[in-house]
Amino acid sequence: EKKLKEEEEKRKIAEKELININKTLEKRVKQRTAELEQEISERKRVEIMLRESEEKYRQIYENATDGILLIQNGIIVLLNPTMVDLLERLPKDVIGSRLKDFIISKNASEVQAYFEEDVKYIADKSFEVVISTKSKANKWLELKINTINWDEEPGYLVFVSNITLRKLAQLNLTELNKNLKKRVEIEV
């Protein structure tokens, strides 16, 4: 009988210890669950912010009034919708090409050589070029070039402005000045 009481006492002590261990474990599980829920909540918030940021940059890229090109290793790898409109060509017809393939002005080789240089040592630059479009209309473009790192590779981000109207106005003004000079010579 004494042994039974001792075993009963040991069993009760063991039960109390198990109950205490169980309570401690439940408390730890609740605490860790709360931490994980907070971590998940924070991660979701960051993901939402990232999506919103990506959407803002996508809208800027797609709605920019200047054309945008990304050139790596002398090859066009990305262009925005404005650039598609300027070239009058589909992205699939431009990506993988060299910019030189679209330039008809005398500086085409100089421009292409710039894109094939070692990016690390070249300063940002700008060029004025003439391109031929699919509709065979020539356009004057100003290229503003910045060196960048894209997908851990060096490259060039090119902002392209259509300056055709300005160039035509300059040509017309030059022609008017020539005619005016001739008229003055004749009158004098």
Side-chain angles (χ1 to χ4, degrees), residues 1-173:
E1 203 172 288
K2 191 175 181 181
K3 252 186 171 181
L4 274 170
K5 280 188 176 182
E6 282 179 14
E7 282 187 27
E8 181 68 26
E9 193 64 34
K10 284 182 182 178
R11 189 183 59 77
K12 284 182 181 180
I13 291 172
E15 281 180 5
K16 284 181 182 179
E17 283 180 17
L18 281 175
I19 290 170
N20 286 337
I21 289 172
N22 193 25
K23 284 180 183 179
T24 303
L25 283 174
E26 285 178 3
K27 187 177 179 181
R28 285 173 138 174
V29 167
K30 283 181 183 180
Q31 184 180 2
R32 184 61 184 143
T33 301
E35 290 171 359
L36 288 173
E37 286 173 350
Q38 185 176 353
E39 205 174 295
I40 289 168
S41 175
E42 179 66 19
R43 187 172 288 174
K44 285 181 180 179
R45 188 180 68 74
V46 168
E47 286 174 359
I48 289 169
M49 289 174 55
L50 179 61
R51 272 196 299 276
E52 288 172 354
S53 176
E54 287 173 346
E55 177 62 19
K56 287 176 187 175
Y57 283 108
R58 185 189 61 75
Q59 286 185 18
I60 290 169
Y61 170 79
E62 289 181 355
N63 295 300
T65 56
D66 280 352
I68 301 172
L69 291 170
L70 175 64
I71 298 177
Q72 288 181 305
N73 300 314
I75 303 295
I76 298 169
V77 294
L78 185 73
L79 69 158
N80 74 337
T82 302
M83 197 67 218
V84 170
D85 293 342
L86 286 171
L87 292 173
E88 298 176 11
R89 289 177 171 83
L90 296 173
K92 69 180 181 87
D93 298 329
V94 177
I95 293 173
S97 302
R98 299 176 310 166
L99 187 56
K100 176 184 177 178
D101 299 339
F102 306 101
I103 299 174
I104 60 172
S105 52
K106 292 178 184 176
N107 61 348
S109 294
E110 176 190 357
V111 172
Q112 188 62 37
Y114 181 84
F115 292 120
E116 293 173 356
E117 294 290 328
D118 187 355
V119 177
K120 292 178 237 163
Y121 303 107
I122 295 194
D124 297 340
K125 189 166 174 101
S126 66
F127 290 99
E128 287 185 2
V129 298
V130 179
I131 62 161
S132 177
T133 63
K134 205 164 188 173
S135 67
K136 304 297 182 207
N138 294 346
K139 291 182 184 175
W140 279 94
L141 302 178
E142 181 179 39
L143 311 176
K144 296 175 191 153
I145 306 162
N146 298 297
T147 56
I148 66 165
N149 190 5
W150 185 269
D151 287 339
E152 299 182 27
E153 292 284 326
Y156 299 94
L157 189 59
V158 184
F159 295 93
V160 182
S161 301
N162 186 350
I163 58 170
T164 303
L165 293 177
R166 182 175 78 198
K167 284 296 188 176
L168 291 174
Q170 285 175 345
L171 291 172
N172 287 339
L173 187 59

